[in-house]
Amino acid sequence: YSFEDEFSTLNTNINGTHYILSAIKHFSPNTKFYFAGSSEMFGKVQKKTQDEKTRFYPRSAYGISKVAGFELTRNYREAYNIFACTGILFNHESPRRGFEFVTRKITSSVARIKNGKQKFLYLGNINAKRDWGHAKDYIEAMWLMLQQEKPQDFVIGTGKMHSVKEFAKLAFSIAGLNYKKYIRFNKNLLRPSEVDTLRANYSKAKKILKWKPKTNFKDLVNEMVKEDLKVLK
């Protein structure tokens, strides 16, 4: 959606972030601030895995706005001594994920197809690969960042990559279906500028926050599919 409405995306992530940081600076300097960064900031990746020192190369208004928010957060931290940190989170999913995201689109469609309410699932680039983790694990990482004595930025992910095709194949199999029968290609769902692969190096979080992901890929997909099947019933 951010490709269709770039202005709202930029306004929310840049101006919205700036307003809150400015309010903290002027009215509540002891407030702790967390900025939700994104792996989309890395975009056209320059290394096989991405960490806190990896160069940003965003490929969308969303990615660009997140880079700007990251820089605003760092600037307020360094210039005004505010506890402001960024979590550069890779894709984090759960049964609460919005329907406009590919993971929830897949799992909800599987449930609908299984119950005869939908015939096909239309997707764009099924070969795109992402580092998918469970939101509940990542929320714990956010909380840990805010418990540190000094604010720092952290990359949070699983370090493992799976394609959209792998996600769909597993989701359909959980419902006892063959994904090949139901997936259809729609060129309108291709991004104008694609980000092909993203994979986290979360070694800093592991060392300093003592954090690591607890939910594996199969368990994540299984939970999402079964929850959507239950909701439909």
Side-chain angles (χ1 to χ4, degrees):
Y1 181 69
S2 66
F3 286 100
E4 296 174 25
D5 186 5
E6 294 179 343
F7 291 96
S8 290
T9 301
L10 290 164
N11 185 45
T12 301
N13 289 332
I14 299 175
N15 290 333
T17 303
H18 196 190
Y19 292 146
I20 295 172
L21 285 166
S22 181
I24 291 171
K25 172 193 167 188
H26 288 288
F27 304 112
S28 186
N30 293 322
T31 291
K32 291 184 176 182
F33 177 80
Y34 171 86
F35 177 69
S38 167
S39 57
E40 294 290 326
M41 292 157 62
F42 297 119
K44 191 174 180 179
V45 294
Q46 307 297 293
K47 298 194 303 182
K48 285 186 178 180
T49 62
Q50 295 80 56
D51 60 23
E52 294 80 8
K53 295 179 180 178
T54 302
R55 179 188 169 215
F56 297 137
Y57 197 147
R59 302 269 284 166
S60 64
Y62 176 82
I64 291 165
S65 70
K66 289 293 188 179
V67 171
F70 170 84
E71 296 294 353
L72 275 166
T73 302
R74 180 164 62 180
N75 182 255
Y76 267 77
R77 177 172 71 225
E78 294 177 354
Y80 306 113
N81 200 31
I82 289 170
F83 191 111
C85 62
T86 295
I88 304 174
L89 271 54
F90 282 62
N91 297 55
H92 40 295
E93 317 297 323
S94 84
R96 297 186 177 196
R97 189 56 136 159
F99 292 101
E100 70 275 19
F101 291 88
V102 71
T103 49
R104 188 72 193 285
K105 179 181 178 180
I106 291 170
T107 60
S108 62
S109 294
V110 165
R112 289 178 61 79
I113 290 169
K114 181 72 175 177
N115 285 274
K117 296 181 181 292
Q118 186 174 320
K119 287 187 176 181
F120 302 109
L121 166 61
Y122 292 92
L123 295 171
N125 179 14
I126 64 171
N127 296 313
K129 293 182 177 180
R130 291 293 184 272
D131 182 336
W132 277 304
H134 200 299
K136 65 183 178 184
D137 294 341
Y138 290 38
I139 292 295
E140 182 185 14
M142 294 180 195
W143 182 83
L144 286 168
M145 287 178 216
L146 294 167
Q147 310 313 307
Q148 302 305 300
E149 284 189 23
K150 293 183 179 180
Q152 300 179 60
D153 305 320
F154 292 91
V155 162
I156 302 296
T158 71
K160 296 177 181 178
M161 247 182 348
H162 298 276
S163 66
V164 174
K165 182 179 177 180
E166 284 179 82
F167 194 107
K169 183 179 179 181
L170 179 56
F172 275 101
S173 70
I174 290 165
L177 301 171
N178 183 347
Y179 77 105
K180 291 181 180 179
K181 292 182 180 180
Y182 304 102
I183 291 180
R184 296 290 185 271
F185 172 70
N186 183 348
K187 66 178 182 180
N188 294 323
L189 295 174
L190 294 174
R191 290 181 171 196
S193 51
E194 183 58 275
V195 175
D196 294 313
T197 59
L198 289 169
R199 185 179 182 184
N201 175 356
Y202 66 93
S203 56
K204 181 183 177 183
K206 189 176 181 179
K207 181 180 178 182
I208 296 175
L209 303 179
K210 310 299 181 191
W211 178 90
K212 63 179 181 179
K214 297 172 183 173
T215 313
N216 65 38
F217 179 71
K218 286 185 178 179
D219 289 344
L220 168 65
V221 180
N222 186 61
E223 182 185 337
M224 290 181 69
V225 171
K226 288 188 174 176
E227 195 65 32
D228 273 329
L229 285 166
K230 189 169 78 174
V231 166
L232 210 59
K233 285 179 182 178

